[in-house]
Amino acid sequence: HAKDAGGGHILRFSPEMFSSLAERAALEEDLRGGLLRGEIRPYYQPIVALPSGEVMRFEALVRWHHPQRGMLGPGRFLSIAEDVGLDDDLLYAMARQSCRDGRDWPERIGLSLNMSPRQICNPCVVAQVMRIVFASGLAPERLTIEITEDAVIHNVAAAQAAVATLRQAGVGIALDDFGTGYASLSRICTLPLDMIKIDRTLVQSLDDDAGRKLVKVVMDLGQSLSMPVTAEGIETARQARDLTALGCTFGQGYLFGRPASARDTAELLASSEAVSIDC
Ligand code: C2E
Ligand code: MG
Ligand code: MG
Ligand code: MG
């Protein structure tokens, strides 16, 4: 035992730790090839108007169809991609595919794409994304880039420059996962944003009094800044009702639809004139 050896710290290497490290190493190995083979694909989750349920746009969420491990979500490989320097290639693959898919949707349907704080603060990455958008034929006005609060905190000047570039091209900006970070109000007000997205942890807190008040404050903030608020992680009709009553404009969550493949998304859109999901 490490303890018997006299050290102050007990370090046990559990089988679970080993298997997760082994998995990480294996995924690291596979990622480059996976990107080249087209195993990394966007899935699309609808964002609907409240309370009508009309589908307004889709958020592209990355998925890895791993030949041995099945479908993996971003929690399993996004940080690995960053560590091995493949996160930008992953972003470009997502941008290419989602703009191509989005171009074939009805024109009124928008597309949202996630960028990491590091990416949004890198002008070369932003420029490359814009080149991909222009080449795809998707009208930039249909695209919204989602950025988290962290991006704003760490490098305000760079984030501001990127946002200016994107907006000049007609692209919208959404502040993602609002309510989970530490963005100060003054900094948020310095960025011209088009939308605030409140995190699902906030939506889950609607049941208690304090949580409800917090959600209300965010709704009022959005209103006073003339920014529509989207709530993510809506799972129950009651949450949708409560959020609507508090002034929330858009909703996203399993109640309306799980992330789905490009083909299923195109089928959903083709199934009727204006798609609307009951809530
Ligand atoms: P996010 O942008 O806040 O995306 C919402 C996440 O919540 C997605 O998880 C979605 O599947 C999940 N979700 C949606 N509705 C519900 C619900 O009703 N209940 C529950 N429990 N979960 C719900 P996902 O796809 O695992 O993505 C996790 C995060 O990974 C995303 O959070 C986003 O920050 C990041 N991400 C995803 N794709 C990309 C990407 O292409 N690039 C970058 N940089 N980040 C990405
Ligand atoms: Mg997002
Ligand atoms: Mg979130
Ligand atoms: Mg989000």
Side-chain angles (χ1 to χ4, degrees), residues 243-265:
L243 287 158
T244 305
L246 289 169
C248 192
T249 315
F250 303 111
Q252 181 179 9
Y254 295 164
L255 177 67
F256 307 108
R258 293 188 176 244
S261 69
R263 187 197 289 186
D264 288 350
T265 302

Side-chain angles (χ1 to χ4, degrees), residues 110-176:
L111 168 70
S112 298
L113 196 62
N114 293 280
M115 279 177 74
S116 75
R118 201 195 53 74
Q119 289 169 335
I120 196 73
C121 292
N122 184 338
C124 300
V125 175
V126 174
Q128 179 60 17
V129 168
M130 285 318 302
R131 275 194 288 273
I132 291 170
V133 176
F134 290 136
S136 76
L138 180 96
E141 290 75 18
R142 291 172 65 190
L143 181 66
T144 297
I145 298 287
E146 300 194 358
I147 60 175
T148 57
E149 294 168 75
D150 306 7
V152 191
I153 294 166
H154 293 307
N155 194 341
V156 191
Q160 257 168 339
V163 166
T165 305
L166 291 168
R167 283 185 65 108
Q168 220 155 30
V171 175
I173 312 288
L175 190 65
D176 203 358

Side-chain angles (χ1 to χ4, degrees), residues 205-214:
S205 74
L206 272 173
D207 283 336
D208 66 83
D209 214 39
R212 209 185 170 76
K213 280 184 181 143
L214 186 58

Side-chain angles (χ1 to χ4, degrees), residues 45 59 61 114 146-148 175-178 197-200 230-233 252:
Q45 187 177 35
E59 179 177 3
L61 295 160
N114 293 280
E146 300 194 358
I147 60 175
T148 57
L175 190 65
D176 203 358
D177 294 343
F178 188 73
K197 295 187 78 176
I198 58 170
D199 193 63
R200 71 160 181 275
T230 301
E232 62 180 26
Q252 181 179 9

